[in-house]
Amino acid sequence: MPPPKMPDLSSSMKHKYVKLGYQYLVNNFPTLLLIPILAYTALELFRMGPEEILNHLNSLNFSLLHILGSSFVIMFFLTVYFMSKPRTIYLVDYSCFKPPVTCRVPFATFMEHSRLNLIDTPKSVEFQMRILERSGLGEETCLPPAIHYIPPTPTMDAARSEAELVIFTAMDDLFKKTGLKPKDIDILIVNCSLFSPTPSLSAMIINKYKLRSNIKSLNLSGMGCSASLISVDVARDLLQVHPNSNAVIVSTEIITPNYYQGKERAMLLPNCLFRMGAAAILLSNRRSDRWRAKYKLCHLVRTHKGAEDKSYYCVYQQEDDESHVGINLNKDLMAIAGEALKSNITTIGPLVLPASEQLLFLSSLIGRKIFNAKWKPYIPDFKMAFEHFCIHAGGRAVIDELQKSLQLSAEHVEASRMTLHRFGNTSSSSLWYELSYIEAKGKMKRGDRVWQIAFGSGFKCNSAVWKSNRTIKTPTEGPWSDCIDRYPVFIPEVVKL
Amino acid sequence: MEASPVTDLKISSVVPASMTGENKPRHLTAMDLAVKLHYVRAVYFFKGARDFTIVDLKNITFPLLDLQCYDHVTGRIRNLDNDDPSAQAIPYIRCNDSGMRIVEAKVEGFTVQEWLDLDDRSIDHRFLVYDQVLGPDLFFSPLVYLQITQFKCGGLSIGLSWAHVLGDVVSASTFMKRMGQLMSNHGPSKPVYPKKPELAAHANGQDGDNGHAISIKKVESVGKYWLLSNNKCKIGRYNFNFSLEQIDRLMAKYDRSFSEISILYALIWRSMLNIRGENDTNVITICDRKTSSACWNDDLVISVVERKDEMTEVSELAGLVASKRREENGVIKGMIDKDRGSSDFITYGANLTFVNLDKCEELEIKGEKPDFVNYTIHGVGDKGVVLVFPKGDFARVVSVVMSEEELAKLKVEVKNMIM
């Protein structure tokens, strides 16, 4: 019998304590420095006694002019500081669309329809079956009514109906939750990548809810699954310029016109993953919303790798040999996503990581440059910077890849995996379903920091950091209200149909 | 009518509102296997514009299919892995939420009234119900099709095609009744939740189990296409309408002591005697059912009536039908169990088969009943099937499914008999 591995355990524990001590020291360095100084000053003051202190002050010969002048300078600098500070953007509340049961698509139904629609190419059917088995989707994801037909009937009317259904339901819910009146909306930003009718979807909303004529509306299309954070970025910039305003962002993806009807394998993948979804978000820069807002926007970093050809072409919409339009996903997608993430982290790291991690990363970087390029690069521990992670539920592979590269535990990626299971890949709105999951589980406490990471065609990697303003009480209303008790579920590697 | 008047066909699937889960298997009993090659078809007619639309009907199927008793309706046939490679696989239903097919169609050339005024009632089953067969892609064939056809007047017809493995005509009618009840938003006063059959117990395990059932007939193995191949003759359908006065006259003519049903059965039997001769009409099969809260195939009561050569009068035949039935359920189960899936059987049409549909549940949608309902069975043997069901309050329809040749002769015979 080999001896028990006690020495290894104790050495790893020692290692852990050393690391903890180092982190505590570096992160609280200013405080630790201040304490001896304060202690010394206090001791000195006690030693000197009150009369000596007064004598010291009198000897400084402050005249009225001096005092007024210094106070004016101090006031001036304080004003400049407060004026140039960017306005805090609050996320008052948001709501996610819950699809009706009449849109439900179980695995078996999806497979049967694929067999019938692709009846001439059994190889493509095989391929779709294998993707679906490993996709991580559950039995309750939803597709719009037009796609339930054999063959699908994607007319423009059907696409508009889907848009009206998902967007208006989400917005009605948002109005109810926040008490917002349609006439009070100052900025409206809609992002929907693949359906862009005229008049735009934002015009459709303005028409339906009779919004003001001087509303600042924007419709972003073609910007992929990361467009929600792009909308938040645009809203943030607009809210810097317009004081005392609010902004409503609607993120969605309309499936009806984009269901691929051909048989190219590389283009069949989106059919298996993309599902109906939408989210409506209310942002505000009003001080009065500070108390009821759920989150505060801390940082938003956008990274675009489109300058490189291989990133640009990795998610490409094109016609196949039979003139069916679909989205071609390149085999290198994961690698490109990893690189885009690295780029994004390089920018966001210094903004959010505690000093201890930054120092370690810096020394590892210097060491690799100067001493030995073969040193393992130090991956900063983002778990120290955030309590919650919302990784875009683009597919199982994306979540696996990010879990590995950021060294996250299963609990950290639970929100993403469960959103993929229950709702599928709802494109830009998936981040909001994930956030809703975390709240529904009762895990969102005051002061918690959330990191939302989204990927999209281009190739883009956008991330946003929010700080929770208050503890969210359960049970919450939302898309998870009737099924949260069943989650988390165990998702097998391969589901047998 | 030769060309199809139906246009704008759109096919889609509807599924249970919530997840059934676990792909549970639903085993087929011996009675299920006895009727596996048959399909129940029913067409319900609603004249003029109504309170409900096609979309309403489609939407209500989601909560309907969600009922636990209908888990298997949305499943698909699979084969059990058999240890013996030479023996045929035994089929079962996998409850995997695949769903039911809905067909939306239009008939622009007729109003419902004009359609019903036409003489030939076989058009109902030719055009207003989808021609469902399980197979050739057996594992991906839906077990139920619902065709909703819109007519010129704004009225509609609902055509149900229901694989008999799921249950008999009465269970199909209960399914539709439940749909109607859900549409009205208030649940039934007495929940009509059909119970699942107890699979282990055999109702009559007595002597007879080892005998030979004459109500069912072994047929050539159909493989993965569950339909009887009828190469010999073309099957036709005809509805005989009997008004209250006609029935009264018949009862007076032959024998008042027997029930309407017995007299009508005997009438047809006698006519077939004249057509086929005495040797071919010694046995008839009668399908009835037990009154119970469950309604699956196991509640069918299949009996035979044998005729001795001398008995040819209608009243004598009616007497046999009324009192000399011999139940064959036990023997059927014994025969099928012993067979262990190596051959296929038919029940309807093995002999001249009579089906009494008085126990069928009435459909009512938002307080409105259909103006006419037409039932039939598809995929029957060449000896023919006779279905008897009520029309309106007192009249009756005797719907006959038989080879067209014999059907033509039957029309003449029956006309003579009623005179």
Side-chain angles (χ1 to χ4, degrees), chain B residues 10 240 297 328:
Chain B
K10 288 198 293 188
F240 292 97
N297 285 326
E328 286 217 317

Side-chain angles (χ1 to χ4, degrees), chain A residues 15-197:
Chain A
H15 183 91
K16 189 169 143 201
Y17 280 121
V18 165
K19 187 148 190 205
L20 269 172
Y22 157 75
Q23 283 170 352
Y24 193 72
L25 193 71
V26 174
N27 290 338
N28 301 314
F29 191 67
T31 329
L32 291 173
L33 209 57
L34 208 57
I35 290 179
I37 295 177
L38 275 176
Y40 176 72
T41 321
L43 273 169
E44 275 295 309
L45 283 172
F46 273 126
R47 196 172 57 77
M48 287 198 285
E51 300 99 31
E52 259 202 68
I53 297 169
L54 278 170
N55 283 335
H56 266 271
L57 283 174
N58 281 332
S59 70
L60 284 174
N61 281 334
F62 281 142
S63 73
L64 193 62
L65 194 63
H66 272 137
I67 295 173
L68 273 175
S70 357
S71 23
F72 174 73
V73 170
I74 292 173
M75 294 292 278
F76 177 73
F77 278 112
L78 274 175
T79 317
V80 169
Y81 170 70
F82 278 115
M83 291 290 281
S84 62
K85 203 166 74 120
R87 289 185 222 272
T88 323
I89 307 298
Y90 298 105
L91 194 163
V92 178
D93 208 340
Y94 63 97
S95 79
C96 298
F97 167 71
K98 176 148 182 261
V101 289
T102 52
C103 294
R104 182 182 162 222
V105 179
F107 265 17
T109 318
F110 184 85
M111 269 333 299
E112 194 167 284
H113 282 223
S114 292
R115 280 177 83 91
L116 293 167
N117 289 327
L118 293 170
I119 203 158
D120 301 319
T121 39
K123 278 212 157 60
S124 301
V125 176
E126 262 291 313
F127 178 73
Q128 270 209 315
M129 183 121 78
R130 274 184 281 126
I131 299 175
L132 199 64
E133 286 173 353
R134 292 164 177 73
S135 63
L137 262 66
E139 296 269 10
E140 295 176 285
T141 61
C142 295
L143 283 172
I147 309 297
H148 290 253
Y149 285 95
I150 305 167
T153 55
T155 60
M156 188 162 201
D157 265 345
R160 275 217 169 95
S161 305
E162 184 194 340
E164 287 174 7
L165 172 68
V166 307
I167 295 177
F168 295 162
T169 313
M171 288 205 69
D172 287 340
D173 197 35
L174 183 68
F175 290 146
K176 202 169 77 157
K177 271 186 177 173
T178 56
L180 176 70
K181 302 257 182 323
K183 291 260 184 284
D184 290 339
I185 303 179
D186 302 302
I187 302 167
L188 174 69
I189 305 178
V190 177
N191 72 269
C192 172
S193 189
L194 293 165
F195 178 55
S196 186

Side-chain angles (χ1 to χ4, degrees), chain B residues 257-272:
Chain B
S257 55
F258 299 121
S259 66
E260 275 175 31
I261 300 283
S262 306
I263 297 285
L264 288 170
Y265 283 9
L267 189 73
I268 304 288
W269 196 356
R270 167 75 210 185
S271 312
M272 291 316 294

